[in-house]
Amino acid sequence: MESLLQRYRRDRRKLLDFILSSASIHQIPTSSAPTANVSDSDLDVVSADYVLDCLKSGGVVDISEATKRYYEESARPVMIHSQLGDSYFLSSDPDLAESPPRRLPPRIHVNQSSNHSSSSSENIAMSGDGHDLKYTTTTSTPLKPVENLNIFSLGLPILNTGLSDDDLRESAYEIMLASIVFSGVQVYTVQDRKKEKSSKFLSGFKGKMDKAHLQSQSLGRHSELIDTIRVMDLCMRQKLMQFATRKLCDRIDIPQISLGLLNSIFKSDFVHEKSYMQWKYRQANILEEVLYFFVNLKTAERLTIKSSLAKIRNTKEWDFIMPPSERAEVLLAMKEVASKLASVPGQFGIHDETCYWTAGYHLNIRIYEKLLFGMFDVLDEGQLIEEADEILMLIKLTWSSLGINQRMHNVLYGWVLFQQFVGTDEATLLEYAILEVQQVLSTEDIDGKEEQYMNSLVCSRVFNGKEKKLSLVEAIFFSMSIWCDSKLLDYHLHFSKKLDNFKTVMTLALAVGFITSSEGGEIKVKKFSYLQLTKTNGLDEIAAKKLQTYIQKSIEAAYSRVAATMDLESKLERTHPLALLANELRLIANRELTVFCPILRHWCPEAGMISAMLLNQLYGERLKPFLKGVTSLSEDVKLVLPAADIFPVLGISVKYGLDNMKIRLELYSKSTSKKMKLFVLFLCVQIGEISRPIILDWVIAQHGRILEWTGRAFDLEDWEPLSSQQRQAVSVVEVFRIVEETVDQFFGLNLPMDITHLQALLSVIFHSLDTYLQKVISELVEKSYLFPSTPSLTRYKEMVIPIAKKKLVESTPLDEKVNNKLNELTISKLCVRLNTLQYIQKQMRTLEDGIRKSWALVRPSANQRWTKEESLENLEESSMMSSESIDELFSTTFNIIRDTATDAINKICDFIGTKVVFWDLRDSFLFRLYRGNVEDARLDSILPHVDTVLDQICDLIDDALRDLVVLSICKAALEAFVWVLLDGGPSRAFSDSDIPMMEDDLNMLKDLFVADGEGLPRSLVQKKAEFAEQILSLFALQTGTVIQMLMTASEHISTGLDSRKHGRLCLGDAQTLVRVLCHKKDREASKFLKRQYQLPMSSEYDDTPSKDSTLRSPLISDLIKRSASFHWTEKGQSSFISLKKKLQEATSEIRW
């Protein structure tokens, strides 16, 4: 069965054949086959991409070029062009390679220390067969320094031989193996790696050495290369163990290791000749670096080293011509020079010190770095391998060979951990690095020898264009400090999403110290002791200024990023750039004060104040030109001024619970520069000065608008309930909507305000609601128009012969406007008015509470006569006084409106009761009750009409007003009952036998309003009915008794009977007693009235009432003014003659 691969190749050939044979493709013959056609070509080795590119461009196809392209493409990974980006397949076996690294590969650094070489080196050039190799000698020149300072370069002296990182890594591996072997630690072979805890480290280390080689090999050579590495590793171990058995001395150094390997390992030990050549040249370069460039080497010895290295590098002579004995002599000559140098005592008298410690420290440090880098996992370079502690113990075996001590190890290990953190962003590595740095700072050198030794390890760094010689520790701290500065000078950019790293980096920056420059230009690294770092306030003035610089530069950088995009973003969001800038700076301030300041305050307590002052200054510079052009509350002003006033202090106020005025006072007092003081004072005062008048102008403009809308809403009102649940009028809802909208806009300005602005707002609210209330009250009609015309005073007299033409009571028709008003004032609409007034009462509480809460959040204006000399205590005292004034202002304004609404409710309730009884029920109540005789016109026939009205009102009125309205109707009904008794006219006369029936009717009337306990309280109704009961009691008295009471009362009358002059009447006054006698069906009373007052007979008048008439009667006038208790008062004394005259005048009076 045909395999999938075979089918794929067959289909590919067919497609290419079809494309190449088309008319649109022109082929050019190859040099080897000028007349060859497509069928003669091997389409399996033709690049399909090349052919398709020619087809798209309209070019010709070169078969040889297509074949060349095919082989070039085969040497590279297969690419997939997807929407997510270009992907590729590795040629390595993924099972063998395990999981890929979890981070991006590190960037290639151009300025590598290992490439800084000015000495001659030989490059391998292979040609011909494997036995005919040619080498060209080239001179390496130093690379041009990168413009940006490379923080990972310690400034060690350059490697003269141009050793690469791979060379150093492989040499480090060999040195560590040699140190392990010479220390007596058992080294297992590759096959037994699982038994050795360090196997993962060693395999990972070797993996790093051959990483570049592995990536360049094809899949077919992958396993072969792995086998080669394993063979060479085994060979290396065996040769080192053999070398260790021949070694007599205990100490071992780099020259001895290289010479021993050159003496033990030959070309035949390598599978590939190229690998051998690279290994041999590396050993030669190591020896040249250590021996040839030794400072104190004699000329003869230098020549010996030079000639020996030349022989080693000469492949034909060393590997093919020279016999083993001669090679041994060459190596022996070099070994003698190396041994002589190794026997030279050290400069500082340290145990195991050799001259190679100081002469080759630049190489030793680089090799030790590579050893420490090997402790990281190959697949996850942010993690140490599991056997890190054990491996570290093995690495320490190299200390005597490389000149490393404990302090050097700590600083170099911290440096390596720091570099890995920068590359992987693994925070744990930085914490480990800080621990190593702290150990360096806390280590004390008793005899000072190690300190002298480490100070001799000089590194050269360039800072601000000047070269500075530093010790190894200073150079490492210098590089760390530069990197920390680069991040901390813009910590808003680098640590907003990595807050934990911010604290750790800050700790590292303080641990390694700061770079300072003296007046003479000398560069110094200011370091702090471990004791200083552990104290909160242990830093000096230099450190404090450095931290302030971090804050200042970070704020400025964040501000610059925001300001650079403001114009464009303002166009996209259609808002003013200054408002948008203020909002963005508010976010910066919040992030600064909530995220960074809690950490910075550990070393700089005033960090929050510094950032707030700087934000004031930066924004003030942009805001000042805008404020000069502010004249009115435009849309731009509404956007900019609130944002400008709130952003600098928002974070502080939230953090510390201070009001803005206190914050600005504090900012002013803490300002360190005159310029900053000016900007703080500028934002404190000028924004308030500008906003104060324009806010008042805006409030005044709103006043006219609200009054206009209030009048319009009232004019359109038809006084129908809004709904069955909401019984108030539509207009009042609209009025409160306008008022609340104005209040929201007022506080939505977010500008500094003072009590003047609040007073203006409350004034607008007061006038709006007061205008509405006055309009409601103005629609009522005077109660006097509701009472019917009062009949003339007569005496009861039955006529045997009826009078053909009776006298009529003169009346004046109602004015048309008054009549139209009364027709409009129906009971249902009056109830809606009452509900509306009750709604106002309720909404007033809600409105006042809302304004009070909003005002409590308002920032006080700078125009509250604040000056920079005013203390915080004076400001608090002024704030308390202002609070009392505000409470008084609220109470005065809203209490007046409440009182007005209450008065309006009382007036309408009183009007409803009078209108229901004296106008709506006039025919069924006033004109029917007891007309002709009592028995035929009792109250029981009238009460259903009253009950119907009460049911209607209870359905319409708000529950809170029900009893008040029912009480008003109760009072009016009792007054109407009294009116019938005293002003009932000629048709009403009561005998002694009628009194019990009338008393029963009064009790029925009272029971109607008590409603078996569901209506008004019985005690209240009883109190209101007292006057009616007293009038009935007068009718029950003997006529002579009433006449005697009248005679007594007349002696106290000093002026006329007109109640408009004498005030309210009482039960025993002459007015009441005369009317009792007029309506008493008694001969003695009639004779008395005829004799004393010459009153006409009742039979001479027709008192049929007219509904459209009004009256002028002392009694009715008094009814209008009557109090709830019905107590009438009289003043002065008058003779009975004057009383008679007044009564006569009152009889003829028709209009009031």
Side-chain angles (χ1 to χ4, degrees):
M1 183 176 178
E2 189 178 23
S3 67
L4 180 63
L5 179 61
Q6 291 174 338
R7 285 192 299 171
Y8 164 74
R9 289 178 175 174
R10 184 196 63 199
D11 294 341
R12 183 177 184 275
R13 285 194 298 269
K14 289 182 179 180
L15 288 172
L16 283 174
D17 184 40
F18 171 76
I19 294 172
L20 292 173
S21 62
S22 65
S24 58
I25 296 295
H26 302 283
Q27 307 165 39
I28 61 175
T30 62
S31 58
S32 60
T35 59
N37 53 25
V38 174
S39 60
D40 296 329
S41 303
D42 185 3
L43 297 182
D44 286 337
V45 293
V46 172
S47 171
D49 290 337
Y50 171 78
V51 174
L52 292 176
D53 290 340
C54 291
L55 177 63
K56 294 177 182 178
S57 61
V60 295
V61 177
D62 185 351
I63 298 297
S64 61
E65 180 65 24
T67 304
K68 180 180 178 183
R69 286 279 297 275
Y70 172 82
Y71 284 110
E72 290 178 352
E73 293 170 356
S74 300
R76 295 192 296 267
V78 179
M79 302 292 293
I80 297 178
H81 305 287
S82 63
Q83 295 180 352
L84 299 177
D86 292 344
S87 305
Y88 61 88
F89 294 104
L90 293 175
S91 59
S92 60
D93 187 352
D95 294 332
L96 295 177
E98 298 183 6
S99 60
R102 288 180 286 179
R103 67 173 183 87
L104 295 175
R107 292 177 296 179
I108 299 175
H109 300 290
V110 177
N111 189 18
Q112 293 184 359
S113 59
S114 60
N115 293 332
H116 291 184
S117 177
S118 60
S119 63
S120 62
S121 62
E122 297 177 348
N123 297 329
I124 302 174
M126 302 182 65
S127 63
D129 56 27
H131 300 282
D132 187 14
L133 300 177
K134 297 182 180 179
Y135 302 93
T136 59
T137 303
T138 59
T139 302
S140 301
T141 58
L143 295 176
K144 183 179 179 181
V146 181
E147 292 182 2
N148 295 329
L149 181 64
N150 184 1
I151 64 168
F152 299 118
S153 174
L154 294 179
L156 291 168
I158 62 173
L159 295 172
N160 299 285
T161 57
L163 290 167
S164 66
D165 282 345
D166 287 339
D167 293 336
L168 294 173
R169 190 177 294 110
E170 292 175 6
S171 297
Y173 178 66
E174 293 172 351
I175 292 170
M176 191 191 69
L177 283 180
S179 299
I180 295 173
V181 169
F182 278 88
S183 66
V185 177
Q186 181 65 42
V187 180
Y188 295 100
T189 61
V190 177
Q191 289 80 1
D192 298 327
R193 277 183 292 180
K194 293 183 180 180
K195 300 179 182 179
E196 174 62 48
K197 286 188 175 181
S198 63
S199 60
K200 187 172 182 180
F201 166 77
L202 297 176
S203 61
F205 198 85
K206 291 295 291 181
K208 286 189 175 184
M209 289 192 300
D210 298 288
K211 191 175 182 180
H213 301 291
L214 287 173
Q215 290 181 348
S216 62
Q217 303 302 319
S218 63
L219 182 62
R221 298 186 58 194
H222 180 73
S223 59
E224 180 183 356
L225 184 59
I226 295 296
D227 293 338
T228 301
I229 294 173
R230 290 174 177 173
V231 170
M232 289 308 304
D233 183 59
L234 176 61
C235 176
M236 192 78 64
R237 292 169 185 248
Q238 291 175 348
K239 299 300 181 182
L240 285 173
M241 285 188 287
Q242 294 173 5
F243 177 58
T245 59
R246 300 193 301 268
K247 188 73 171 60
L248 298 178
C249 60
D250 296 333
R251 292 193 304 178
I252 187 174
D253 51 38
I254 294 177
Q256 291 182 34
I257 296 173
S258 295
L259 291 171
L261 291 174
L262 284 171
N263 191 41
S264 304
I265 298 177
F266 306 99
K267 178 182 177 181
S268 58
D269 294 323
F270 286 84
V271 179
H272 298 287
E273 185 177 2
K274 183 178 180 181
S275 300
Y276 167 71
M277 300 304 300
Q278 290 173 343
W279 175 84
K280 186 182 68 170
Y281 263 80
R282 175 170 57 80
Q283 300 298 337
N285 288 338
I286 290 290
L287 290 171
E288 181 182 7
E289 191 72 43
V290 177
L291 298 177
Y292 181 79
F293 292 102
F294 193 88
V295 178
N296 297 323
L297 191 66
K298 295 180 180 180
T299 304
E301 296 172 342
R302 193 180 303 275
L303 292 175
T304 300
I305 296 298
K306 183 177 181 180
S307 62
S308 299
L309 290 174
K311 292 177 182 179
I312 295 173
R313 289 191 175 105
N314 191 328
T315 302
K316 184 176 182 180
E317 181 180 2
W318 182 264
D319 295 311
F320 297 103
I321 299 175
M322 190 177 295
S325 59
E326 292 184 11
R327 290 200 298 268
E329 291 178 0
V330 172
L331 295 175
L332 181 60
M334 295 181 66
K335 183 178 180 181
E336 290 177 352
V337 176
S339 299
K340 183 179 179 180
L341 295 177
S343 63
V344 176
Q347 299 180 19
F348 306 101
I350 303 174
H351 179 66
D352 288 339
E353 180 186 1
T354 66
C355 63
Y356 297 122
W357 285 18
T358 54
Y361 73 89
H362 60 300
L363 177 62
N364 297 338
I365 292 174
R366 287 183 171 95
I367 290 175
Y368 195 72
E369 275 190 273
K370 300 305 177 185
L371 286 173
L372 294 175
F373 274 119
M375 295 178 60
F376 296 96
D377 196 327
V378 179
L379 301 178
D380 187 0
E381 296 182 359
Q383 301 293 327
L384 292 167
I385 59 177
E386 295 178 2
E387 304 88 349
D389 293 337
E390 293 85 346
I391 297 304
L392 189 59
M393 297 301 296
L394 297 178
I395 291 176
K396 289 183 178 181
L397 297 175
T398 66
W399 282 13
S400 60
S401 301
L402 299 177
I404 306 297
N405 55 35
Q406 183 63 52
R407 194 158 183 249
M408 281 183 67
H409 166 76
N410 290 335
V411 73
L412 288 173
Y413 191 28
W415 171 239
V416 169
L417 289 167
F418 170 76
Q419 293 180 77
Q420 287 296 107
F421 159 73
V422 174
T424 62
D425 203 28
E426 180 62 45
T428 307
L429 298 179
L430 185 59
E431 294 175 359
Y432 292 158
I434 292 174
L435 293 176
E436 297 298 325
V437 170
Q438 290 174 347
Q439 288 185 19
V440 173
L441 295 174
S442 60
T443 301
E444 295 183 1
D445 186 9
I446 299 176
D447 54 8
K449 293 180 180 180
E450 291 188 355
E451 185 71 24
Q452 295 176 9
Y453 164 62
M454 293 185 66
N455 289 338
S456 68
L457 310 180
V458 179
C459 301
S460 180
R461 296 303 303 267
V462 177
F463 183 71
N464 291 338
K466 296 183 180 181
E467 186 176 6
K468 172 66 178 176
K469 299 296 183 181
L470 302 172
S471 67
L472 177 64
V473 175
E474 289 176 340
I476 291 176
F477 284 3
F478 181 87
S479 296
M480 289 182 175
S481 179
I482 290 177
W483 184 88
C484 291
D485 282 354
S486 68
K487 302 301 179 182
L488 294 175
L489 288 173
D490 194 1
Y491 54 72
H492 277 272
L493 175 65
H494 298 291
F495 299 106
S496 291
K497 297 180 180 179
K498 302 173 183 178
L499 183 60
D500 294 337
N501 287 0
F502 173 68
K503 184 177 182 180
T504 313
V505 171
M506 181 64 71
T507 304
L508 178 64
L510 292 172
V512 301
F514 302 117
I515 303 171
T516 61
S517 180
S518 62
E519 295 180 357
E522 183 180 359
I523 302 170
K524 296 181 180 180
V525 179
K526 171 66 178 178
K527 293 184 291 185
F528 303 97
S529 66
Y530 181 75
L531 183 61
Q532 284 179 303
L533 293 174
T534 54
K535 291 183 178 180
T536 304
N537 298 321
L539 305 181
D540 58 11
E541 184 179 354
I542 296 177
K545 289 183 178 180
K546 188 66 175 180
L547 291 178
Q548 292 178 12
T549 301
Y550 287 155
I551 298 171
Q552 180 179 353
K553 294 298 182 181
S554 295
I555 293 293
E556 289 176 352
Y559 171 81
S560 299
R561 283 192 296 273
V562 171
T565 60
M566 280 305 97
D567 292 335
L568 178 60
E569 291 186 13
S570 65
K571 292 179 181 179
L572 296 176
E573 298 187 15
R574 296 182 180 180
T575 186
H576 198 280
L578 286 175
L580 194 59
L581 178 61
N583 293 332
E584 292 296 329
L585 292 182
R586 185 187 301 116
L587 298 177
I588 294 175
N590 284 337
R591 186 165 61 248
E592 175 74 18
L593 294 164
T594 58
V595 175
F596 296 111
C597 280
I599 299 174
L600 290 170
R601 246 187 249 107
H602 180 74
W603 301 286
C604 183
E606 297 180 353
M609 202 63 65
I610 294 171
S611 59
M613 289 187 293
L614 185 58
L615 286 172
N616 272 276
Q617 176 183 344
L618 293 173
Y619 189 71
E621 292 174 350
R622 295 284 294 266
L623 180 65
K624 191 173 183 180
F626 174 82
L627 294 181
K628 291 181 179 179
V630 174
T631 57
S632 62
L633 199 61
S634 62
E635 290 301 320
D636 286 343
V637 173
K638 289 180 181 179
L639 292 172
V640 174
L641 287 189
D645 185 64
I646 194 173
F647 93 88
V649 293
L650 176 64
I652 300 179
S653 61
V654 171
K655 184 69 177 178
Y656 299 102
L658 302 174
D659 59 65
N660 286 13
M661 185 58 72
K662 289 183 180 180
I663 293 169
R664 290 189 169 117
L665 284 169
E666 191 71 15
L667 283 175
Y668 183 86
S669 63
K670 296 289 185 180
S671 298
T672 57
S673 65
K674 183 178 180 181
K675 184 177 182 181
M676 197 171 288
K677 284 179 180 289
L678 290 176
F679 276 110
V680 173
L681 188 61
F682 167 78
L683 288 177
C684 288
V685 178
Q686 190 164 355
I687 293 178
E689 289 179 349
I690 292 173
S691 62
R692 187 173 190 269
I694 62 177
I695 292 176
L696 290 176
D697 292 341
W698 180 84
V699 173
I700 292 172
Q702 298 306 305
H703 185 204
R705 183 182 70 90
I706 293 177
L707 289 179
E708 180 183 354
W709 276 95
T710 301
R712 184 180 303 176
F714 191 88
D715 293 340
L716 296 175
E717 183 58 67
D718 57 0
W719 300 109
E720 293 294 333
L722 190 63
S723 66
S724 58
Q725 289 77 26
Q726 298 178 326
R727 301 174 182 178
Q728 69 274 8
V730 177
S731 58
V732 74
V733 177
E734 180 67 14
V735 169
F736 271 98
R737 185 192 66 80
I738 297 171
V739 170
E740 290 171 357
E741 182 181 280
T742 303
V743 171
D744 292 340
Q745 291 177 357
F746 176 81
F747 290 108
L749 296 175
N750 288 326
L751 291 174
M753 299 175 182
D754 55 29
I755 194 171
T756 305
H757 300 119
L758 178 62
Q759 190 174 13
L761 175 67
L762 295 181
S763 177
V764 170
I765 296 173
F766 172 79
H767 285 97
S768 302
L769 296 178
D770 185 69
T771 299
Y772 187 86
L773 291 172
Q774 296 302 326
K775 286 180 175 291
V776 172
I777 295 173
S778 65
E779 287 193 337
L780 298 179
V781 176
E782 289 293 335
K783 286 175 58 177
S784 60
Y785 294 111
L786 299 174
F787 296 104
S789 300
T790 304
S792 302
L793 293 175
T794 61
R795 57 185 175 84
Y796 175 76
K797 181 66 176 178
E798 293 183 357
M799 294 296 294
V800 179
I801 301 174
I803 300 176
K805 188 176 182 180
K806 295 185 178 181
K807 297 179 182 180
L808 297 175
V809 177
E810 296 181 4
S811 61
T812 303
L814 284 175
D815 183 76
E816 184 178 358
K817 293 182 179 180
V818 175
N819 193 58
N820 292 336
K821 277 189 174 184
L822 286 173
N823 292 334
E824 289 292 329
L825 294 173
T826 61
I827 296 301
S828 62
K829 292 187 177 183
L830 287 171
C831 289
V832 172
R833 283 175 169 84
L834 281 177
N835 294 336
T836 300
L837 295 173
Q838 181 67 15
Y839 178 80
I840 292 175
Q841 295 276 40
K842 294 179 180 178
Q843 289 299 109
M844 287 299 297
R845 290 190 292 270
T846 304
L847 181 62
E848 181 181 3
D849 293 341
I851 296 176
R852 282 183 179 272
K853 291 179 181 178
S854 298
W855 182 255
L857 301 176
V858 165
R859 299 175 308 287
S861 172
N863 286 277
Q864 293 180 344
R865 301 298 179 266
W866 173 80
T867 61
K868 62 183 181 181
E869 292 81 9
E870 186 174 3
S871 65
L872 291 176
E873 291 76 10
N874 293 339
L875 186 63
E876 291 176 356
E877 183 179 353
S878 175
S879 177
M880 292 178 61
M881 295 177 62
S882 176
S883 177
E884 294 177 357
S885 301
I886 290 171
D887 289 339
E888 183 179 355
L889 182 60
F890 272 104
S891 299
T892 303
T893 302
F894 287 97
N895 286 343
I896 292 176
I897 298 175
R898 291 189 186 96
D899 292 342
T900 304
T902 301
D903 292 342
I905 290 175
N906 293 332
K907 286 184 179 180
I908 294 179
C909 285
D910 191 35
F911 184 84
I912 287 177
T914 304
K915 185 177 185 297
V916 166
V917 176
F918 287 91
W919 186 264
D920 297 340
L921 298 178
R922 177 182 293 188
D923 292 336
S924 58
F925 199 119
L926 294 181
F927 297 160
R928 182 177 178 184
L929 182 64
Y930 304 150
R931 178 174 289 276
N933 60 78
V934 172
E935 187 176 359
D936 295 335
R938 294 282 300 274
L939 189 62
D940 55 354
S941 62
I942 301 172
L943 290 181
H945 299 283
V946 179
D947 188 59
T948 301
V949 174
L950 290 175
D951 290 341
Q952 178 186 3
I953 290 175
C954 290
D955 291 338
L956 295 173
I957 203 70
D958 186 270
D959 292 340
L961 298 173
R962 188 197 67 172
D963 289 350
L964 194 61
V965 176
V966 172
L967 179 61
S968 174
I969 297 175
C970 176
K971 288 166 56 179
L974 292 171
E975 290 176 355
F977 186 82
V978 173
W979 186 90
V980 170
L981 297 181
L982 298 180
D983 276 328
S987 61
R988 290 182 173 91
F990 311 112
S991 62
D992 293 339
S993 60
D994 296 330
I995 301 303
M997 290 185 291
M998 296 166 65
E999 290 176 347
D1000 291 340
D1001 288 347
L1002 180 59
N1003 290 330
M1004 283 191 295
L1005 184 61
K1006 292 189 293 184
D1007 291 339
L1008 174 67
F1009 291 100
V1010 173
D1012 296 330
E1014 296 181 1
L1016 297 175
R1018 182 172 294 277
S1019 59
L1020 180 61
V1021 175
Q1022 183 62 37
K1023 185 176 181 180
K1024 300 300 179 183
E1026 287 179 354
F1027 186 76
E1029 292 174 347
Q1030 291 173 357
I1031 296 298
L1032 281 177
S1033 66
L1034 290 177
F1035 279 97
L1037 295 175
Q1038 295 295 325
T1039 301
T1041 304
V1042 176
I1043 292 174
Q1044 185 61 42
M1045 292 172 63
L1046 176 60
M1047 297 297 291
T1048 303
S1050 64
E1051 297 178 358
H1052 300 285
I1053 297 177
S1054 58
T1055 57
L1057 299 176
D1058 194 349
S1059 62
R1060 291 171 297 176
K1061 297 181 181 180
H1062 301 287
R1064 295 173 181 173
L1065 302 177
C1066 62
L1067 185 63
D1069 69 355
Q1071 288 277 7
T1072 304
L1073 296 172
V1074 166
R1075 281 166 170 74
V1076 170
L1077 292 173
C1078 290
H1079 291 85
K1080 203 168 178 57
K1081 190 184 291 187
D1082 183 80
R1083 184 182 298 274
E1084 182 181 358
S1086 177
K1087 289 181 179 181
F1088 174 79
L1089 293 174
K1090 179 179 180 182
R1091 181 177 65 253
Q1092 297 296 333
Y1093 301 111
Q1094 291 80 39
L1095 293 180
M1097 292 184 298
S1098 59
S1099 56
E1100 297 178 1
Y1101 286 87
D1102 184 3
D1103 60 351
T1104 302
S1106 175
K1107 188 172 183 179
D1108 297 329
S1109 62
T1110 59
L1111 58 87
R1112 275 284 184 177
S1113 169
L1115 181 59
I1116 296 302
S1117 298
D1118 190 66
L1119 284 174
I1120 297 174
K1121 299 179 181 180
R1122 195 172 297 166
S1123 65
S1125 60
F1126 282 91
H1127 284 293
W1128 298 348
T1129 62
E1130 64 175 355
K1131 298 180 180 180
Q1133 296 181 351
S1134 177
S1135 64
F1136 187 76
I1137 298 174
S1138 60
L1139 174 61
K1140 174 183 176 182
K1141 184 178 180 181
K1142 294 294 183 180
L1143 287 174
Q1144 290 174 342
E1145 292 175 355
T1147 302
S1148 62
E1149 192 172 14
I1150 297 175
R1151 295 182 62 194
W1152 184 19

